[in-house]
Amino acid sequence: MEIKNIKEFEKASKKLQKDTLKIALALLFLIGAALLALIFGQANSKGLLLIFAAVIGGYMAMNIGANDVSNNVGPAVGSKAISMGGAILIAGVCEMLGAIIAGGEVVSTIKGRIVSPESINDAHIFINVMLASLLSGALWLHVATLIGAPVSTSHSVVGGIMGAGMAAAGMSAINWHFLSGIVASWVVSPLMGALIAMFF
């Protein structure tokens, strides 16, 4: 009986060490994001805001890695086509290249085509809308990851922008025509993925 208790204690201790290491790595990553913002950001009154945004962005990036990237590489790792380390390397390189090559278009959509900047006259309020949408998207991704639900980062961020935009300037702040195109793509994308997969 005592040996069983000792083994259970050792198992719990190893899990605690592993969880502590994960938290420490996450904190180091967020501190690194804050330091990079401090080093490369402009030294003005918005310096603290930039650091805060970098930390939220880092938190979002970790949640994207935990949820979205898992969606992408899960089948390959599950089928043992590639190792977990290989999947992390491939995902990291592809995420970085995607952001560098095509990220600008997505940024322009997110920053000004869902919520019209003109509908929010105060720049500080618009900044807060964007920060709130990023934080809400990150929090939702975190919760979804904790419960094991594969969710879309795009849905989370667009929903966050809509909610924060409506809270700041009402329903008229939302570009409903443009948003309908985004929502249509959410319906079309899985159908197209299924059709293409049928031919493989």
Side-chain angles (χ1 to χ4, degrees):
M1 192 69 174
E2 287 182 11
I3 293 174
K4 185 179 179 184
N5 289 341
I6 290 171
K7 286 184 178 179
E8 286 178 9
F9 178 76
E10 287 175 350
K11 187 177 177 182
S13 178
K14 284 181 182 177
K15 184 179 180 338
L16 180 63
Q17 287 174 351
K18 193 175 180 181
D19 290 346
T20 304
L21 179 63
K22 287 179 185 178
I23 292 169
L25 286 173
L27 288 174
L28 280 174
F29 179 75
L30 295 178
I31 290 168
L35 288 174
L36 284 172
L38 183 64
I39 292 167
F40 294 109
Q42 296 176 356
N44 58 24
S45 61
K46 293 189 174 83
L48 284 177
L49 186 62
L50 181 62
I51 291 168
F52 183 63
V55 170
I56 294 174
Y59 176 57
M60 177 62 134
M62 287 189 295
N63 284 297
I64 290 170
N67 198 297
D68 260 12
V69 173
S70 300
N71 297 340
N72 297 333
V73 298
V77 173
S79 66
K80 305 216 184 304
I82 56 175
S83 67
M84 180 64 87
I88 291 170
L89 180 65
I90 291 168
V93 169
C94 290
E95 289 276 332
M96 182 183 66
L97 287 175
I100 292 168
I101 294 168
E105 290 300 317
V106 176
V107 168
S108 67
T109 296
I110 295 297
K111 75 175 184 180
R113 296 176 93 184
I114 297 168
V115 172
S116 171
E118 295 81 31
S119 65
I120 302 172
N121 296 328
D122 189 345
H124 292 299
I125 293 174
F126 190 72
I127 290 169
N128 290 337
V129 164
M130 291 299 151
L131 283 175
S133 65
L134 185 62
L135 182 58
S136 67
L139 287 170
W140 167 240
L141 280 175
H142 192 144
V143 169
T145 301
L146 288 175
I147 62 173
V151 297
S152 168
T153 302
S154 303
H155 293 68
S156 304
V157 171
V158 169
I161 290 173
M162 283 177 56
M166 286 189 284
M171 300 279 280
S172 61
I174 308 300
N175 183 346
W176 294 103
H177 178 71
F178 185 77
L179 190 64
S180 65
I182 293 174
V183 172
S185 75
W186 293 344
V187 174
V188 171
S189 293
L191 296 175
M192 290 304 295
L195 281 172
I196 293 168
M198 284 172 49
F199 294 105
F200 285 96

